[in-house]
Amino acid sequence: MGNRFQVKERFAEGAQYIDGRLRPGTSGRSHTVVDPATGADVLTYELAGPADVDEAVAAAKRAFPAWSAATPGERSDALHRLAAVLAEQADDFAYAESLQCGKPVKLSTEFDVPGTIDNTAFFAGAARHLQGQAAGEYSGDHTSYVRREAIGVVGSIAPWNYPLQMAAWKILPAIAAGNTIVLKPAELTPLTSLMFAQAAKEAGLPDGVINIVTGAGRDAGEHLVGHPDVVMTSFTGSTAVGKRVAEIATATVKRLHLELGGKAPFLVFDDADLEAAAHGAVAASLINTGQDCTAATRAYVQRPLHDAFVARVAELMDTVRLGDPFAPDTDLGPLVSHAQRDRVAGFVERARAYATVVTGGETPSGDLADGAYYRPTLISGAPQDSEVVQSEIFGPVLVVLPFDTDDEGIALANDTPYGLAASAWSRDVYRAGRATRELKAGCVWVNDHIPIISEMPHGGYKASGFGKDMSAYSFEEYTQVKHVMYDNTAVAAKDWHRTIFGDR
């Protein structure tokens, strides 16, 4: 991957990025980033505390007037420069992302990093098209138009599964719309968020526009969400933590965007291409070692195809190569931590009491024993109301259940609290069309599962949250809509005044 930078040297000044420079945190507590593939320490840094959050918010507040007053063209130019810097440093970003997360380098180099560069280029263009409704005379006596204005300082919290992309999803629409931001990445995986902010400085973005505070949720995160100078919070993470974020945000009447958990159904009708569905299920359930809130987790397969689907998926899963994330032929890396691996293993072990583990369901030995690895796992025969069907496992585990009628399949697919993503597999355009209408999810794929693009929105229904990342729709989260109305009559005593005082 070219010349890899030394992480400890890169972040020797600290893992907080406030007002354009790195500095240590002041919480009095430290945290160690661990390579989940080997268990080796990568970086020990001082965590942020409330005082660091206060300084970051103050820096963002100072930067807001000038940044929000910049023209769309100026903000666009800055983001185009940022995209260029990210492209120049793509190898470093891919290395750091794989090092802190354990994801295979082929995923970080072909998905995470180019996706982030594309998001940046998209918002560079979108910044020039941020506009309200054209002028019109809707009352007859007045001209109305709508302005979209930046709202102020945004305080966002990003998760550990896609640290770079999720940081970009939070930062880019916010700053493209003229806001400034304080982002709290997960303390497990802060490296690429900090690098993104540094790249923005190299691209010429003003100090204070992007700030990163790396601390624990209860200290830095809750203080950021509740800060009186933060006008909006965007959070991606579990539904349980999202509820806590909502409690804090609503107490101070903040705008709120939540992208929460998922339990995506993978609905296979009996006319589907079996080979395509099996390959799609393996890829969609194992992406990022299953640590993806849109990953396929529940495959509902119409009974005529069920047994053949289970057999083919098991066969394909057994070909998946676990190994060193930096080896070019590795398909599946470790989970983000040993704690997460043990959590996933716990779900599978409990499922053995009521379901069949068709393949996988174990940690590898030998050279991989020190890492947080878990084999691709396929489970069949689980009841619809069981834990592995209803709860988010967040690991390389796919559960397969049969269904008989189309009505039953769609009903089962919708039968969880979540509604982030889903897919339908059929050769029949009408059957697939019905599924796209009736599946309760923010994204529905047909004959595929997982691809995302910068131009289209990402966000969920139900307990998966509300609001959108990516696309021009994300500006609805990060702008204030203002109606401006001009009188056109120049009449002092207007007719409607008589409803308040005087006679006609």
Side-chain angles (χ1 to χ4, degrees):
M1 295 192 63
N3 295 320
R4 299 174 179 176
F5 65 88
Q6 298 299 310
V7 174
K8 292 177 181 178
E9 294 176 3
R10 177 73 173 259
F11 300 110
E13 296 177 6
Q16 316 302 325
Y17 188 84
I18 298 172
D19 207 13
R21 68 179 184 90
L22 289 171
R23 41 161 283 182
T26 62
S27 70
R29 295 185 296 114
S30 63
H31 182 83
T32 300
V33 177
V34 175
D35 176 356
T38 64
D41 292 353
V42 173
L43 175 72
T44 298
Y45 65 92
E46 298 299 316
L47 289 163
D52 304 298
V53 172
D54 289 343
E55 290 194 29
V57 172
K61 187 176 180 180
R62 287 192 301 271
F64 175 73
W67 181 248
S68 62
T71 67
E74 290 168 336
R75 291 198 294 268
S76 175
D77 289 347
L79 291 177
H80 277 301
R81 294 194 301 271
L82 174 56
V85 172
L86 295 173
E88 291 169 1
Q89 300 177 8
D91 282 354
D92 283 351
F93 275 97
Y95 168 68
E97 195 76 338
S98 289
L99 182 65
Q100 66 183 352
C101 299
K103 62 182 66 189
V105 73
K106 68 178 182 180
L107 181 66
S108 59
T109 56
E110 297 180 31
F111 180 70
D112 297 75
V113 174
T116 300
I117 295 169
D118 187 70
N119 287 165
T120 307
F122 170 81
F123 280 107
R128 288 182 176 266
H129 299 282
L130 183 59
Q131 56 196 23
Q133 188 174 354
E137 286 70 46
Y138 298 99
S139 78
D141 291 338
H142 305 82
T143 296
S144 290
Y145 68 88
V146 172
R147 292 174 52 88
R148 280 190 176 272
E149 298 180 347
I151 56 177
V153 177
V154 177
S156 293
I157 300 175
W160 49 257
N161 57 332
Y162 290 102
L164 176 59
Q165 289 209 82
M166 295 295 130
W169 287 13
K170 303 299 182 194
I171 292 169
L172 291 168
I175 66 173
N179 303 291
T180 56
I181 189 167
V182 178
L183 175 78
K184 192 198 87 66
E187 56 267 41
L188 288 174
T189 55
L191 304 183
T192 46
S193 298
L194 293 164
M195 292 167 63
F196 189 92
Q198 290 176 310
K201 184 179 179 71
E202 291 183 43
L205 274 76
D207 292 345
V209 172
I210 300 172
N211 305 274
I212 309 293
V213 290
T214 307
R218 291 195 177 275
D219 296 331
E222 293 198 2
H223 191 66
L224 177 62
V225 173
H227 198 288
D229 289 332
V230 169
V231 298
M232 175 189 164
T233 290
S234 177
F235 170 80
T236 296
S238 71
T239 298
V241 177
K243 291 178 181 178
R244 175 61 179 158
V245 169
E247 290 175 2
I248 299 170
T250 53
T252 49
V253 198
K254 290 185 188 346
R255 185 174 297 199
L256 188 60
H257 167 216
L258 298 175
E259 198 267 89
L260 307 176
K263 191 70 178 174
F266 188 98
L267 186 60
V268 183
F269 294 103
D270 57 14
D271 66 333
D273 182 325
L274 177 61
E275 194 68 7
H279 278 80
V282 173
S285 62
L286 300 184
I287 184 172
N288 204 35
T289 318
Q291 299 165 127
D292 187 314
C293 47
T294 62
T297 59
R298 302 176 289 137
Y300 295 98
V301 185
Q302 207 150 22
R303 206 170 293 276
L305 287 186
H306 176 270
D307 291 351
F309 178 88
V310 170
R312 184 59 175 141
V313 168
E315 184 179 38
L316 290 172
M317 279 189 170
D318 288 342
T319 71
V320 172
R321 298 163 296 187
L322 279 69
D324 176 5
F326 292 103
D329 60 350
T330 291
D331 296 321
L332 197 73
L335 287 105
V336 74
S337 67
H338 288 77
Q340 180 63 17
R341 181 201 62 188
D342 294 345
R343 179 180 181 276
V344 171
F347 274 99
V348 176
E349 291 309 305
R350 292 189 296 274
R352 293 183 191 277
Y354 55 80
T356 300
V357 177
V358 179
T359 190
E362 61 183 9
T363 59
S365 57
D367 293 342
L368 303 181
D370 291 336
Y373 290 90
Y374 197 77
R375 294 199 182 280
T377 300
L378 182 65
I379 297 174
S380 67
Q384 175 67 13
D385 62 355
S386 62
E387 179 186 49
V388 290
V389 176
Q390 293 293 324
S391 299
E392 189 172 30
I393 299 173
F394 230 55
V397 179
L398 177 65
V399 184
V400 184
L401 299 90
F403 69 93
D404 291 305
T405 67
D406 290 16
D407 287 351
E408 181 190 12
I410 292 172
L412 289 170
N414 286 331
D415 182 29
T416 72
Y418 301 105
L420 186 58
S423 64
W425 297 74
S426 173
R427 291 185 175 96
D428 186 323
V429 64
Y430 298 104
R431 207 175 200 183
R434 178 193 175 190
T436 65
R437 294 189 300 273
E438 296 186 15
L439 288 170
K440 303 304 182 187
C443 177
V444 179
W445 294 281
V446 176
N447 295 326
D448 208 344
H449 191 118
I450 282 297
I452 54 175
I453 50 176
S454 298
E455 292 82 359
M456 289 291 112
H458 175 86
Y461 287 23
K462 303 191 292 186
S464 292
F466 48 82
K468 301 299 179 184
D469 288 311
M470 299 196 298
S471 82
Y473 290 97
S474 65
F475 284 135
E476 296 176 7
E477 317 300 324
Y478 296 98
T479 57
Q480 186 71 265
V481 173
K482 177 186 287 184
H483 171 214
V484 178
M485 196 176 206
Y486 283 91
D487 171 60
N488 293 331
T489 66
V491 174
K494 295 179 174 60
D495 187 58
W496 75 266
H497 292 175
R498 307 306 176 224
T499 63
I500 312 301
F501 70 99
D503 299 320
R504 289 188 183 278

